[in-house]
Amino acid sequence: MSNDQAQSFVITFTPAHPCFSCERLTTHAHVTISITAHDKYSSIDPHIDIRCPLHGYYGPDTLNGHTEQDALDSVARFVIWMHADKGRVPLVSSIEDLSAVPDYELDEGDMAWHARYEAPDGARIDSYVVYGVDEWKFFLYERGVQVTERREEVA
Amino acid sequence: MNEQSVSPAEQTAENTLIFFYPQEKCDYCDRLTGVAITTSGNFEPLCPLHGYSAAYSSTPTTRELDDQLKTVERFVQWMHDDRGHLVLITSIDANSVPGYVADAFEPSSMFPDHAWNVQYEVPSGERADMFVVWSVQWTQFSLYRDGALVSERDCGGVL
């Protein structure tokens, strides 16, 4: 069993780099600094994890130092990205019962959230987001169906 | 294409210089910095004094060569209170730098220091020739001017 501790933080950087899961350029990353339990004063191997909004799920785990808030932030980032990087997501909450997601075919291990999207004109859409552990990417569901295209490009 | 088959190592087999926010501490000192070198998933924040973007392999890519010069220029500007710019950078043998003495304990044939002859231009337009040395052993830059080591920044900070 590992006794490692870790701290994680988000950076915005330039120039943009390809996502580690696809070739999409992105300027957002998580940096993890692991600290061994045996030597708390020396950090080892700072690690940068560059992911686009589609593949950028930073779920809570002690090994990478990601928190529950990191997970919610990555869901919100994905939803806004699906809406052409406009608007905001004022509410995200995880849901346990994935069968509540309309049009979604249950797959073991997937995770889901309810997300409220607010467009720049104030219009709100209650949506669902699923992270597919087999596909390593997010899926968006709005108005009872899966959304397969971004506002500006195919997701 | 299977998206999961692309590993970080395959994508970034080179050192890349990034400018990031918010700032982090340099890996070698307590200075805050917004510049880092990334390699295959590693993240190394580096201040201007300790931040030389060396090539990942013995065959530098075009971007790595460009990044090397950027870090040399960054150091010289930092030494001059972040003002002015370089108009010329030429790679030279460290032993030809006036005032430079190679470390007696360094296995010089294995990892010789890197050096550049630079021409620095202040905002008023005045130009000055100087030399920059990157010590492989001490992992930091040094600036030489008029045959002597410059040990203070223009803003007064002692290195």
Side-chain angles (χ1 to χ4, degrees):
Chain A
M1 181 178 160
S2 170
N3 288 324
D4 285 356
Q5 302 171 359
Q7 292 180 330
S8 167
F9 52 90
V10 176
I11 60 167
T12 302
F13 62 89
T14 185
H17 275 49
C19 166
F20 281 178
S21 297
C22 68
E23 293 181 355
R24 196 174 283 114
L25 291 175
T26 185
T27 59
H28 178 105
H30 271 241
V31 174
T32 298
I33 301 174
S34 300
I35 302 171
T36 62
H38 301 293
D39 185 3
K40 293 184 178 178
Y41 300 102
S42 70
S43 57
I44 54 169
D45 296 336
H47 176 80
I48 187 168
D49 193 8
I50 302 172
R51 306 279 173 183
C52 71
L54 182 65
H55 297 102
Y57 171 61
Y58 300 100
D61 72 83
T62 53
L63 192 61
N64 288 310
H66 298 149
T67 63
E68 181 64 33
Q69 188 59 48
D70 290 327
L72 301 180
D73 289 346
S74 56
V75 172
R77 179 182 174 226
F78 166 67
V79 174
I80 292 169
W81 176 75
M82 286 295 285
H83 290 89
D85 288 319
K86 290 172 184 157
R88 66 191 191 107
V89 176
L91 180 67
V92 183
S93 59
S94 62
I95 57 175
E96 299 295 325
D97 183 12
L98 274 68
S99 64
V101 181
D103 198 32
Y104 165 71
E105 194 172 322
L106 197 60
D107 198 353
E108 193 176 346
D110 285 358
M111 290 162 279
W113 298 264
H114 166 246
R116 177 167 293 164
Y117 170 74
E118 186 175 291
D121 64 3
R124 289 182 170 182
I125 303 172
D126 280 317
S127 60
Y128 292 96
V129 174
V130 172
Y131 183 74
V133 291
D134 289 339
E135 299 86 355
W136 288 28
K137 66 178 181 180
F138 285 115
F139 297 92
L140 179 65
Y141 296 84
E142 288 180 353
R143 301 184 180 92
V145 295
Q146 184 183 340
V147 181
T148 56
E149 290 189 5
R150 285 184 69 200
R151 287 288 172 87
E152 291 181 339
E153 69 171 80
V154 176
Chain B
M1 177 183 160
N2 180 357
E3 292 174 310
Q4 304 312 321
S5 67
V6 180
S7 74
E10 287 169 339
Q11 282 191 339
T12 55
E14 63 176 351
N15 284 338
T16 54
L17 196 66
I18 62 169
F19 299 82
F20 68 92
Y21 180 86
Q23 293 188 327
E24 280 294 315
K25 272 188 183 177
C26 170
D27 262 11
Y28 294 91
C29 66
D30 285 339
R31 281 185 200 95
L32 287 174
T33 181
V35 173
I37 295 169
T38 66
T39 313
S40 301
N42 286 331
F43 175 79
E44 194 175 17
L46 296 168
C47 74
L49 182 65
H50 298 108
Y52 174 54
S53 185
Y56 181 77
S57 69
S58 57
T59 52
T61 64
T62 304
R63 177 158 65 177
E64 284 178 326
L65 291 171
D66 190 42
D67 285 348
Q68 285 177 5
L69 300 185
K70 278 181 189 170
T71 51
V72 172
E73 176 163 24
R74 178 183 178 228
F75 166 67
V76 176
Q77 286 177 320
W78 177 75
M79 287 294 290
H80 292 90
D81 201 16
D82 293 316
R83 289 175 295 184
H85 68 283
L86 297 191
V87 289
L88 187 68
I89 307 178
T90 309
S91 181
I92 59 169
D93 188 314
N95 292 311
S96 65
V97 175
Y100 167 80
V101 180
D103 195 314
F105 299 105
E106 186 189 358
S108 56
S109 59
M110 285 281 289
F111 302 107
D113 289 348
H114 305 293
W116 299 266
N117 180 201
V118 302
Q119 193 168 56
Y120 167 75
E121 182 177 293
V122 297
S124 63
E126 186 184 342
R127 294 183 178 184
D129 275 320
M130 45 192 82
F131 298 88
V132 175
V133 174
W134 172 254
S135 167
V136 175
Q137 184 177 9
W138 301 107
T139 55
Q140 71 175 47
F141 283 114
S142 300
L143 184 66
Y144 292 84
R145 184 172 182 173
D146 300 327
L149 176 68
V150 180
S151 55
E152 284 192 14
R153 293 177 63 197
D154 267 3
C155 58
V158 180
L159 300 180

Coordinates of all heavy atoms in Angstrom, one line a residue, chain B residues 51-132:
Chain B
G51 N 17.1 28.6 -15.3 CA 16.2 28.1 -16.4 C 16.8 28.0 -17.8 O 16.4 28.8 -18.7
Y52 N 17.6 27.0 -18.0 CA 18.2 26.8 -19.3 C 17.4 25.6 -19.9 O 17.3 24.5 -19.4 CB 19.6 26.5 -19.3 CG 20.2 26.1 -20.6 CD1 20.0 26.9 -21.8 CD2 20.9 24.9 -20.8 CE1 20.5 26.5 -23.0 CE2 21.4 24.5 -22.0 CZ 21.2 25.4 -23.1 OH 21.7 25.0 -24.4
S53 N 16.8 25.9 -21.1 CA 16.0 24.9 -21.7 C 16.9 24.0 -22.7 O 17.0 24.3 -23.9 CB 14.9 25.5 -22.6 OG 14.0 24.5 -23.1
A54 N 17.6 23.0 -22.1 CA 18.5 22.2 -22.9 C 17.6 21.2 -23.7 O 16.4 21.0 -23.5 CB 19.3 21.4 -21.9
A55 N 18.3 20.7 -24.7 CA 17.6 19.8 -25.6 C 17.4 18.4 -24.9 O 18.2 18.0 -24.1 CB 18.4 19.5 -26.9
Y56 N 16.3 17.7 -25.3 CA 16.0 16.4 -24.7 C 17.0 15.4 -25.1 O 17.4 14.5 -24.3 CB 14.6 16.0 -25.1 CG 14.1 14.7 -24.5 CD1 13.7 14.6 -23.2 CD2 14.1 13.6 -25.3 CE1 13.2 13.4 -22.7 CE2 13.6 12.3 -24.8 CZ 13.2 12.3 -23.5 OH 12.8 11.1 -23.0
S57 N 17.4 15.4 -26.4 CA 18.4 14.4 -26.9 C 19.6 15.2 -27.5 O 19.7 16.4 -27.5 CB 17.7 13.5 -27.9 OG 17.4 14.3 -29.1
S58 N 20.5 14.4 -28.1 CA 21.7 15.0 -28.7 C 21.3 15.6 -30.1 O 22.2 16.2 -30.7 CB 22.8 13.9 -28.9 OG 22.3 12.8 -29.6
T59 N 20.1 15.4 -30.6 CA 19.7 16.0 -31.8 C 18.5 16.9 -31.5 O 17.4 16.5 -31.6 CB 19.3 14.9 -32.8 OG1 18.3 14.1 -32.2 CG2 20.5 14.1 -33.3
P60 N 18.8 18.2 -31.2 CA 17.8 19.1 -30.8 C 16.8 19.4 -32.0 O 17.2 19.4 -33.1 CB 18.6 20.4 -30.5 CG 20.0 20.1 -30.5 CD 20.2 18.8 -31.2
T61 N 15.5 19.6 -31.6 CA 14.5 19.9 -32.6 C 14.6 21.4 -32.8 O 15.3 22.2 -32.0 CB 13.1 19.6 -32.1 OG1 12.8 20.3 -30.9 CG2 13.0 18.1 -31.7
T62 N 13.9 21.9 -33.8 CA 13.9 23.3 -34.1 C 13.3 24.1 -33.0 O 13.9 25.2 -32.6 CB 13.1 23.6 -35.4 OG1 13.6 22.8 -36.4 CG2 13.1 25.0 -35.8
R63 N 12.3 23.5 -32.4 CA 11.7 24.2 -31.2 C 12.6 24.3 -30.0 O 12.7 25.3 -29.3 CB 10.4 23.6 -30.8 CG 9.7 24.2 -29.6 CD 8.3 24.0 -29.5 NE 7.9 22.6 -29.2 CZ 6.7 22.2 -29.1 NH1 5.7 23.1 -29.1 NH2 6.4 20.9 -28.9
E64 N 13.4 23.2 -29.8 CA 14.3 23.2 -28.7 C 15.4 24.2 -28.9 O 15.8 24.9 -27.9 CB 14.9 21.8 -28.5 CG 13.9 20.8 -27.9 CD 14.5 19.4 -27.8 OE1 15.3 19.0 -28.7 OE2 14.2 18.7 -26.9
L65 N 15.9 24.3 -30.1 CA 16.9 25.3 -30.4 C 16.4 26.7 -30.1 O 17.1 27.6 -29.5 CB 17.4 25.2 -31.8 CG 18.2 23.9 -32.1 CD1 18.5 23.8 -33.6 CD2 19.6 24.0 -31.4
D66 N 15.2 27.0 -30.5 CA 14.5 28.3 -30.3 C 14.3 28.5 -28.8 O 14.6 29.6 -28.3 CB 13.2 28.3 -31.0 CG 12.6 29.6 -31.0 OD1 13.3 30.6 -31.3 OD2 11.3 29.8 -30.8
D67 N 13.9 27.5 -28.1 CA 13.7 27.6 -26.6 C 15.0 27.9 -25.9 O 15.0 28.6 -24.9 CB 13.0 26.3 -26.1 CG 11.6 26.3 -26.4 OD1 11.0 27.3 -26.9 OD2 11.0 25.2 -26.3
Q68 N 16.1 27.3 -26.4 CA 17.4 27.5 -25.7 C 17.7 29.0 -25.8 O 18.1 29.6 -24.8 CB 18.5 26.7 -26.5 CG 18.5 25.2 -26.2 CD 19.5 24.5 -27.0 OE1 20.3 25.1 -27.7 NE2 19.5 23.2 -26.9
L69 N 17.6 29.6 -26.9 CA 17.9 31.0 -27.1 C 16.9 31.9 -26.3 O 17.3 32.9 -25.7 CB 17.8 31.4 -28.6 CG 18.8 30.6 -29.5 CD1 18.8 31.2 -30.9 CD2 20.2 30.7 -28.9
K70 N 15.7 31.4 -26.2 CA 14.7 32.2 -25.4 C 15.2 32.2 -23.9 O 15.0 33.3 -23.2 CB 13.4 31.5 -25.4 CG 12.5 31.9 -26.7 CD 11.2 31.2 -26.6 CE 10.4 31.4 -27.9 NZ 9.2 30.5 -27.9
T71 N 15.7 31.1 -23.4 CA 16.1 31.1 -22.0 C 17.4 31.9 -21.8 O 17.6 32.5 -20.7 CB 16.2 29.7 -21.5 OG1 17.1 28.9 -22.3 CG2 14.9 29.0 -21.3
V72 N 18.2 31.9 -22.8 CA 19.4 32.8 -22.7 C 19.0 34.3 -22.6 O 19.5 35.0 -21.8 CB 20.4 32.5 -23.8 CG1 21.6 33.5 -23.8 CG2 21.0 31.1 -23.8
E73 N 18.1 34.6 -23.5 CA 17.7 36.0 -23.6 C 16.9 36.4 -22.3 O 17.1 37.5 -21.7 CB 16.8 36.2 -24.8 CG 16.2 37.6 -24.8 CD 15.6 38.1 -26.1 OE1 15.2 37.2 -26.9 OE2 15.6 39.3 -26.4
R74 N 16.2 35.4 -21.8 CA 15.4 35.7 -20.5 C 16.3 36.0 -19.4 O 16.1 36.9 -18.6 CB 14.6 34.4 -20.2 CG 13.8 34.5 -18.9 CD 13.0 33.2 -18.7 NE 12.3 33.2 -17.5 CZ 12.3 32.2 -16.6 NH1 13.0 31.1 -16.9 NH2 11.6 32.2 -15.5
F75 N 17.5 35.2 -19.3 CA 18.4 35.5 -18.2 C 19.1 36.8 -18.4 O 19.2 37.6 -17.4 CB 19.5 34.4 -18.3 CG 20.7 34.7 -17.4 CD1 20.6 34.7 -16.1 CD2 21.9 35.0 -18.0 CE1 21.7 35.1 -15.3 CE2 23.0 35.3 -17.3 CZ 22.9 35.3 -15.9
V76 N 19.5 37.2 -19.6 CA 20.1 38.5 -19.8 C 19.2 39.6 -19.4 O 19.6 40.6 -18.8 CB 20.7 38.6 -21.2 CG1 21.3 40.0 -21.4 CG2 21.7 37.5 -21.5
Q77 N 18.0 39.5 -19.9 CA 17.0 40.6 -19.6 C 16.7 40.7 -18.1 O 16.6 41.7 -17.5 CB 15.7 40.3 -20.3 CG 15.7 40.5 -21.8 CD 14.4 40.2 -22.5 OE1 13.8 39.1 -22.1 NE2 14.0 41.0 -23.4
W78 N 16.6 39.5 -17.4 CA 16.4 39.5 -16.0 C 17.6 40.1 -15.3 O 17.4 40.9 -14.3 CB 16.3 38.0 -15.6 CG 16.1 37.8 -14.1 CD1 15.0 38.0 -13.3 CD2 17.1 37.3 -13.2 NE1 15.2 37.6 -12.0 CE2 16.5 37.2 -11.9 CE3 18.4 36.8 -13.3 CZ2 17.2 36.7 -10.8 CZ3 19.1 36.3 -12.2 CH2 18.5 36.3 -11.0
M79 N 18.8 39.9 -15.7 CA 20.0 40.6 -15.1 C 19.9 42.1 -15.3 O 20.6 42.8 -14.6 CB 21.3 40.0 -15.8 CG 21.6 38.6 -15.4 SD 22.0 38.5 -13.6 CE 23.6 39.3 -13.5
H80 N 19.2 42.5 -16.3 CA 19.1 44.0 -16.6 C 17.7 44.5 -16.2 O 17.1 45.3 -16.9 CB 19.4 44.3 -18.1 CG 20.8 44.0 -18.4 ND1 21.3 42.8 -18.9 CD2 21.9 44.8 -18.4 CE1 22.6 42.9 -19.1 NE2 23.0 44.1 -18.8
D81 N 17.2 43.9 -15.1 CA 15.9 44.4 -14.5 C 14.7 44.3 -15.5 O 13.8 45.1 -15.6 CB 16.0 45.9 -14.1 CG 15.0 46.3 -13.1 OD1 14.4 45.4 -12.5 OD2 14.8 47.5 -12.9
D82 N 14.8 43.2 -16.3 CA 13.7 42.9 -17.3 C 13.5 44.0 -18.3 O 12.3 44.2 -18.7 CB 12.4 42.5 -16.5 CG 12.6 41.2 -15.8 OD1 13.2 40.2 -16.3 OD2 12.2 41.1 -14.6
R83 N 14.6 44.6 -18.7 CA 14.5 45.6 -19.7 C 15.4 45.3 -20.9 O 16.3 44.5 -20.7 CB 14.8 47.0 -19.2 CG 13.8 47.6 -18.2 CD 14.3 48.9 -17.6 NE 15.5 48.7 -16.8 CZ 16.0 49.6 -16.1 NH1 15.6 50.8 -16.1 NH2 17.1 49.3 -15.3
G84 N 15.1 45.9 -22.0 CA 16.0 45.7 -23.2 C 15.7 44.4 -23.9 O 14.8 43.6 -23.5
H85 N 16.6 44.1 -24.9 CA 16.4 42.8 -25.6 C 17.8 42.4 -26.2 O 18.7 43.3 -26.3 CB 15.3 42.8 -26.6 CG 15.6 43.7 -27.7 ND1 15.5 45.1 -27.7 CD2 16.0 43.5 -29.0 CE1 15.8 45.7 -28.8 NE2 16.1 44.7 -29.7
L86 N 17.9 41.2 -26.7 CA 19.1 40.8 -27.4 C 18.9 40.9 -28.9 O 17.8 40.6 -29.4 CB 19.4 39.3 -27.0 CG 19.7 39.0 -25.6 CD1 20.3 37.6 -25.5 CD2 20.7 39.9 -25.0
V87 N 19.9 41.4 -29.5 CA 19.8 41.6 -31.0 C 20.6 40.5 -31.6 O 20.5 40.3 -32.9 CB 20.3 43.0 -31.4 CG1 19.3 44.0 -31.0 CG2 21.6 43.3 -30.9
L88 N 21.5 39.8 -30.9 CA 22.4 38.8 -31.5 C 22.8 37.8 -30.4 O 23.1 38.2 -29.3 CB 23.6 39.5 -32.0 CG 24.6 38.6 -32.9 CD1 23.9 38.2 -34.2 CD2 25.9 39.4 -33.1
I89 N 22.7 36.5 -30.7 CA 23.1 35.5 -29.9 C 24.0 34.5 -30.7 O 23.5 34.0 -31.7 CB 22.0 34.7 -29.2 CG1 21.0 35.6 -28.5 CG2 22.5 33.7 -28.2 CD1 19.8 34.9 -27.9
T90 N 25.2 34.3 -30.3 CA 26.1 33.3 -31.0 C 26.6 32.3 -30.0 O 27.2 32.7 -29.0 CB 27.2 34.1 -31.7 OG1 26.7 35.2 -32.4 CG2 28.0 33.1 -32.6
S91 N 26.5 31.1 -30.3 CA 27.0 30.0 -29.5 C 28.5 30.0 -29.7 O 29.0 30.0 -30.8 CB 26.4 28.7 -29.9 OG 26.9 27.7 -29.1
I92 N 29.3 29.9 -28.6 CA 30.7 29.9 -28.6 C 31.3 28.8 -27.6 O 30.5 28.3 -26.8 CB 31.3 31.2 -28.3 CG1 30.9 31.7 -26.9 CG2 31.0 32.3 -29.3 CD1 31.7 32.9 -26.4
D93 N 32.6 28.6 -27.7 CA 33.2 27.7 -26.7 C 33.4 28.5 -25.4 O 33.8 29.6 -25.4 CB 34.6 27.3 -27.2 CG 35.3 26.3 -26.4 OD1 35.3 26.4 -25.1 OD2 35.8 25.3 -26.9
A94 N 33.0 27.8 -24.3 CA 33.0 28.5 -23.0 C 34.4 29.0 -22.6 O 34.6 30.1 -22.0 CB 32.5 27.6 -21.9
N95 N 35.4 28.3 -23.0 CA 36.8 28.7 -22.7 C 37.3 30.0 -23.4 O 38.3 30.5 -23.1 CB 37.8 27.5 -23.0 CG 37.6 26.3 -22.1 OD1 37.5 26.5 -20.9 ND2 37.4 25.2 -22.7
S96 N 36.5 30.4 -24.4 CA 36.9 31.7 -25.1 C 36.2 32.9 -24.4 O 36.3 34.0 -24.9 CB 36.5 31.6 -26.6 OG 35.1 31.4 -26.7
V97 N 35.4 32.6 -23.3 CA 34.7 33.8 -22.7 C 35.7 34.5 -21.8 O 36.3 33.9 -20.9 CB 33.6 33.3 -21.8 CG1 32.9 34.4 -21.0 CG2 32.5 32.6 -22.7
P98 N 36.0 35.8 -22.0 CA 36.9 36.5 -21.1 C 36.5 36.5 -19.7 O 35.3 36.9 -19.4 CB 36.9 38.0 -21.7 CG 36.3 37.8 -23.1 CD 35.4 36.6 -23.1
G99 N 37.4 36.1 -18.8 CA 37.0 36.1 -17.4 C 36.5 34.8 -16.9 O 36.5 34.5 -15.7
Y100 N 36.2 33.9 -17.8 CA 35.6 32.6 -17.4 C 36.7 31.6 -17.1 O 37.7 31.5 -17.8 CB 34.7 32.0 -18.5 CG 34.4 30.6 -18.4 CD1 33.3 30.2 -17.5 CD2 35.1 29.6 -19.1 CE1 33.0 28.8 -17.4 CE2 34.7 28.2 -18.9 CZ 33.7 27.9 -18.1 OH 33.4 26.5 -17.9
V101 N 36.6 30.9 -15.9 CA 37.5 29.9 -15.5 C 36.7 28.6 -15.3 O 35.8 28.6 -14.5 CB 38.3 30.2 -14.3 CG1 39.2 29.1 -13.9 CG2 39.0 31.5 -14.4
A102 N 37.0 27.6 -16.0 CA 36.3 26.3 -15.9 C 36.5 25.7 -14.5 O 37.6 25.9 -14.0 CB 36.8 25.3 -17.0
D103 N 35.5 25.1 -14.0 CA 35.6 24.5 -12.6 C 36.6 23.4 -12.7 O 36.5 22.5 -13.5 CB 34.2 24.0 -12.2 CG 34.2 23.7 -10.7 OD1 35.1 23.1 -10.3 OD2 33.2 24.1 -10.1
A104 N 37.6 23.4 -11.7 CA 38.6 22.4 -11.7 C 38.1 21.0 -11.5 O 38.8 20.1 -11.8 CB 39.7 22.8 -10.7
F105 N 37.0 20.9 -10.8 CA 36.5 19.6 -10.4 C 35.5 19.1 -11.4 O 35.0 18.0 -11.3 CB 35.7 19.7 -9.1 CG 36.6 20.2 -8.0 CD1 36.6 21.5 -7.5 CD2 37.6 19.3 -7.4 CE1 37.4 21.9 -6.4 CE2 38.4 19.7 -6.4 CZ 38.4 21.0 -5.9
E106 N 35.2 19.9 -12.4 CA 34.3 19.4 -13.4 C 34.9 18.5 -14.5 O 36.0 18.8 -15.0 CB 33.7 20.6 -14.2 CG 32.6 20.2 -15.1 CD 32.2 21.4 -16.0 OE1 32.8 22.5 -15.8 OE2 31.3 21.2 -16.8
P107 N 34.3 17.4 -14.8 CA 34.8 16.5 -15.9 C 34.5 17.2 -17.2 O 33.5 16.9 -17.9 CB 34.0 15.2 -15.7 CG 32.8 15.6 -15.0 CD 33.1 16.8 -14.2
S108 N 35.3 18.2 -17.6 CA 34.9 19.1 -18.7 C 34.7 18.4 -20.0 O 33.9 18.8 -20.8 CB 36.0 20.1 -18.8 OG 37.3 19.5 -19.0
S109 N 35.4 17.3 -20.2 CA 35.3 16.6 -21.5 C 33.9 15.9 -21.6 O 33.4 15.8 -22.7 CB 36.4 15.6 -21.7 OG 36.3 14.6 -20.7
M110 N 33.3 15.6 -20.5 CA 32.0 14.9 -20.5 C 30.9 15.9 -20.7 O 30.0 15.7 -21.5 CB 31.8 14.1 -19.2 CG 32.6 12.9 -19.0 SD 31.8 11.5 -20.0 CE 30.4 11.2 -18.9
F111 N 30.8 16.9 -19.8 CA 29.7 17.9 -19.8 C 30.3 19.3 -19.8 O 30.2 19.9 -18.8 CB 28.8 17.6 -18.7 CG 28.2 16.3 -18.6 CD1 28.6 15.4 -17.7 CD2 27.2 15.9 -19.5 CE1 28.0 14.1 -17.6 CE2 26.7 14.6 -19.5 CZ 27.1 13.7 -18.5
P112 N 30.8 19.7 -20.9 CA 31.4 21.1 -20.9 C 30.2 22.1 -20.7 O 29.1 21.9 -21.2 CB 32.0 21.2 -22.3 CG 31.3 20.2 -23.1 CD 30.9 19.1 -22.2
D113 N 30.6 23.3 -20.1 CA 29.7 24.4 -20.0 C 29.3 24.9 -21.4 O 30.1 24.8 -22.3 CB 30.3 25.5 -19.2 CG 30.4 25.1 -17.7 OD1 29.8 24.1 -17.3 OD2 31.1 25.8 -16.9
H114 N 28.1 25.5 -21.5 CA 27.7 26.1 -22.7 C 27.9 27.6 -22.6 O 27.8 28.2 -21.5 CB 26.2 25.8 -23.0 CG 25.8 24.4 -23.0 ND1 26.3 23.5 -23.9 CD2 25.1 23.6 -22.1 CE1 25.8 22.3 -23.6 NE2 25.1 22.3 -22.5
A115 N 28.2 28.2 -23.7 CA 28.4 29.7 -23.7 C 27.9 30.4 -25.0 O 27.8 29.7 -26.0 CB 29.9 30.0 -23.5
W116 N 27.6 31.6 -24.8 CA 27.1 32.4 -25.9 C 27.7 33.8 -25.8 O 27.9 34.4 -24.7 CB 25.5 32.6 -25.9 CG 24.8 31.3 -25.9 CD1 24.3 30.7 -27.1 CD2 24.5 30.4 -24.9 NE1 23.7 29.5 -26.7 CE2 23.8 29.3 -25.4 CE3 24.8 30.4 -23.5 CZ2 23.4 28.2 -24.6 CZ3 24.3 29.3 -22.7 CH2 23.6 28.3 -23.3
N117 N 27.9 34.4 -27.0 CA 28.3 35.8 -27.1 C 27.0 36.5 -27.5 O 26.3 36.1 -28.4 CB 29.3 36.0 -28.2 CG 29.8 37.4 -28.4 OD1 30.3 37.8 -29.4 ND2 29.5 38.3 -27.4
V118 N 26.6 37.5 -26.7 CA 25.3 38.1 -26.9 C 25.5 39.6 -27.1 O 26.4 40.2 -26.5 CB 24.3 37.9 -25.8 CG1 24.0 36.4 -25.6 CG2 24.7 38.5 -24.5
Q119 N 24.7 40.2 -27.8 CA 24.6 41.7 -27.9 C 23.3 42.2 -27.4 O 22.2 41.8 -27.9 CB 24.8 42.1 -29.4 CG 25.1 43.6 -29.5 CD 25.5 44.0 -30.9 OE1 24.8 43.7 -31.8 NE2 26.7 44.6 -31.0
Y120 N 23.4 42.9 -26.3 CA 22.2 43.4 -25.5 C 22.0 44.8 -25.9 O 22.9 45.7 -25.9 CB 22.5 43.2 -24.1 CG 21.5 43.9 -23.2 CD1 20.2 43.4 -23.0 CD2 21.8 45.0 -22.5 CE1 19.3 44.0 -22.2 CE2 21.0 45.7 -21.6 CZ 19.7 45.2 -21.5 OH 18.8 45.8 -20.7
E121 N 20.7 45.1 -26.1 CA 20.3 46.5 -26.4 C 19.4 47.0 -25.4 O 18.3 46.4 -25.1 CB 19.7 46.6 -27.8 CG 19.3 48.0 -28.2 CD 18.7 48.0 -29.6 OE1 19.4 47.7 -30.6 OE2 17.5 48.3 -29.7
V122 N 19.7 48.1 -24.7 CA 18.9 48.8 -23.7 C 17.8 49.5 -24.5 O 17.9 49.8 -25.7 CB 19.7 49.7 -22.8 CG1 20.7 49.0 -22.0 CG2 20.3 50.8 -23.6
P123 N 16.7 49.9 -23.7 CA 15.6 50.6 -24.4 C 16.0 51.8 -25.1 O 15.4 52.2 -26.1 CB 14.6 50.9 -23.2 CG 14.9 49.8 -22.2 CD 16.4 49.5 -22.3
S124 N 17.0 52.5 -24.7 CA 17.4 53.8 -25.3 C 18.2 53.5 -26.7 O 18.4 54.4 -27.4 CB 18.4 54.6 -24.4 OG 19.5 53.8 -24.1
G125 N 18.5 52.2 -26.9 CA 19.1 51.9 -28.2 C 20.6 51.6 -28.1 O 21.2 51.0 -29.0
E126 N 21.2 51.9 -26.9 CA 22.6 51.6 -26.7 C 22.9 50.1 -26.6 O 22.1 49.3 -26.0 CB 23.1 52.2 -25.4 CG 24.6 52.1 -25.1 CD 24.9 52.7 -23.8 OE1 24.1 53.5 -23.2 OE2 26.0 52.4 -23.3
R127 N 24.0 49.6 -27.3 CA 24.2 48.2 -27.3 C 25.5 47.8 -26.6 O 26.4 48.7 -26.5 CB 24.3 47.7 -28.8 CG 23.0 47.8 -29.5 CD 23.1 47.2 -30.9 NE 21.8 47.3 -31.6 CZ 21.6 46.8 -32.8 NH1 22.6 46.3 -33.5 NH2 20.4 46.9 -33.3
A128 N 25.5 46.6 -26.0 CA 26.7 46.2 -25.3 C 27.0 44.7 -25.6 O 26.0 43.9 -25.6 CB 26.5 46.4 -23.8
D129 N 28.2 44.3 -25.7 CA 28.6 42.9 -25.9 C 28.8 42.3 -24.6 O 29.5 42.9 -23.7 CB 29.9 42.8 -26.8 CG 29.6 42.9 -28.2 OD1 28.6 42.2 -28.7 OD2 30.3 43.5 -29.0
M130 N 28.3 41.1 -24.4 CA 28.6 40.3 -23.2 C 28.5 38.9 -23.5 O 28.2 38.4 -24.6 CB 27.6 40.8 -22.1 CG 26.2 40.9 -22.5 SD 25.2 41.8 -21.2 CE 25.6 43.5 -21.5
F131 N 28.8 38.1 -22.4 CA 28.9 36.6 -22.6 C 28.0 36.0 -21.5 O 28.0 36.4 -20.4 CB 30.3 36.1 -22.5 CG 31.2 36.7 -23.5 CD1 31.9 37.9 -23.4 CD2 31.4 36.0 -24.7 CE1 32.7 38.4 -24.3 CE2 32.2 36.5 -25.7 CZ 32.9 37.7 -25.5
V132 N 27.4 34.9 -21.9 CA 26.6 34.1 -21.0 C 27.1 32.7 -21.0 O 27.5 32.1 -22.0 CB 25.1 34.1 -21.5 CG1 24.3 33.1 -20.6 CG2 24.5 35.5 -21.5

